Amino acid sequence: MKLKILHLYPKEMNLYGDHGNILTLVKRCEWRGIRAEVIAHEPGEPIPNDVDIIFGGGGQDSNQNTIEDDLRKIAPKLKELVEADVPTLVVCGLYQLFGAYFQTAEGHKIDGINILDLYTVAGKNRLIGNVVIDTEDFGEIVGYENHSGLTRLGQNVKPLGTISKGYGNNGDDELEGARYHNCIGTYLHGPILPKNPRLADYLIAKALERQAGKPIKLEHLNDTAENRAHKVAATRPQ
Ligand code: GLN
């Protein structure tokens, strides 16, 4: 068994430990005897057809600007992959750009690629701090947020969860993240996957299920350290 993980813009889009999500995916595959190959996508390169998991992290407004043109070029391929149920995780900066647009505090609009039905406009204050959310499919998720963007969801996405600590999408509707097919968008850095192994395993299981064409039960891993890290994060003040 082998999974190909596409890492979007690892140089430009990598904040607050986002790269740790890739390490988590690779390790949790390796611990189960599944080979994982990471393909780093940088501007100008093509997207391979046989991608099993897509990950993209956060970035400052200026870095979002830097990748905007390339993202538009690869958008049709990314859309095709997401619509074909390829498990995808996008965090903060790329979460915003998977939507319609991100309008910065200066009023500059960075175009998104309309895969997720949402849009984002910068607010006056940055939303910063530790976050705990409740989700239907993954239980409690912990993470860290730092964004100016306020995201509003449309009809074609579901939220990832509801806020029990922190701000989430916009600080007022108590929603965090978005889901569409097997694509998950979220503001949570930290990074999110090491402390939320159920979410990491969802991405891996969905990828294997697509290959096998049937439901997969992943080999159980000892998550004592991961669960301890989760607990510590959950008890931190906002
Ligand atoms: N530039 C965006 C914002 O501040 C994204 C920040 C991030 O990725 N952490 O809203």
Side-chain angles (χ1 to χ4, degrees):
M1 276 187 290
K2 183 181 164 192
L3 294 182
K4 266 194 189 175
I5 304 171
L6 178 68
H7 188 179
L8 296 172
Y9 314 111
K11 291 201 190 100
E12 296 83 358
M13 303 299 282
N14 178 31
L15 281 181
Y16 315 114
D18 284 342
H19 181 68
N21 294 315
I22 291 288
L23 299 179
T24 299
L25 290 171
V26 169
K27 277 291 163 200
R28 294 185 76 80
C29 282
E30 280 177 8
W31 288 333
R32 297 174 166 117
I34 303 161
R35 281 175 53 214
E37 181 192 352
V38 180
I39 300 154
H41 173 81
E42 287 301 337
E45 290 165 358
I47 298 289
N49 285 316
D50 51 348
V51 167
D52 299 298
I53 298 179
I54 301 170
F55 170 71
Q60 283 132 356
D61 300 4
S62 54
N63 290 41
Q64 288 175 297
N65 246 326
T66 309
I67 57 119
E68 182 185 7
D69 288 348
D70 186 76
L71 188 61
R72 195 174 310 125
K73 279 187 203 136
I74 64 171
K77 187 78 222 173
L78 291 178
K79 195 170 172 58
E80 190 185 307
L81 292 167
V82 168
E83 302 275 345
D85 292 333
V86 171
T88 300
L89 175 67
V90 279
V91 176
C92 202
L94 275 170
Y95 168 42
Q96 295 172 346
L97 295 187
F98 264 50
Y101 60 84
F102 168 49
Q103 187 175 306
T104 68
E106 296 75 38
H108 172 63
K109 225 175 193 178
I110 304 173
D111 281 333
I113 56 176
N114 289 300
I115 290 178
L116 297 174
D117 182 16
L118 53 89
Y119 67 92
T120 304
V121 177
K124 286 199 184 71
N125 305 312
R126 292 196 74 78
L127 307 184
I128 306 172
N130 296 307
V131 184
V132 179
I133 64 172
D134 299 314
T135 73
E136 240 171 64
D137 292 344
F138 315 110
E140 180 185 85
I141 290 184
V142 295
Y144 170 79
E145 66 185 328
N146 185 346
H147 53 107
S148 68
L150 307 178
T151 296
R152 305 279 165 191
L153 304 183
Q155 297 293 321
N156 289 334
V157 289
K158 287 195 309 186
L160 170 62
T162 53
I163 288 285
S164 68
K165 184 191 297 175
Y167 300 102
N169 282 344
N170 49 55
D172 56 51
D173 65 13
E174 300 195 342
L175 302 177
E176 207 299 306
R179 293 182 70 177
Y180 175 68
H181 286 264
N182 291 329
C183 178
I184 294 174
T186 176
Y187 271 110
L188 301 196
H189 299 280
I192 186 171
L193 293 184
K195 294 189 279 295
N196 301 288
R198 274 175 77 178
L199 188 55
D201 282 355
Y202 165 84
L203 298 169
I204 295 169
K206 287 292 170 197
L208 293 172
E209 282 175 11
R210 279 188 78 248
Q211 281 188 359
K214 59 175 189 202
I216 292 279
K217 193 156 166 34
L218 286 180
E219 192 184 315
H220 177 78
L221 296 177
N222 179 347
D223 283 330
T224 308
E226 288 80 355
N227 291 337
R228 203 177 296 154
H230 179 109
K231 260 198 183 137
V232 170
T235 53
R236 282 186 188 136
Q238 189 190 344

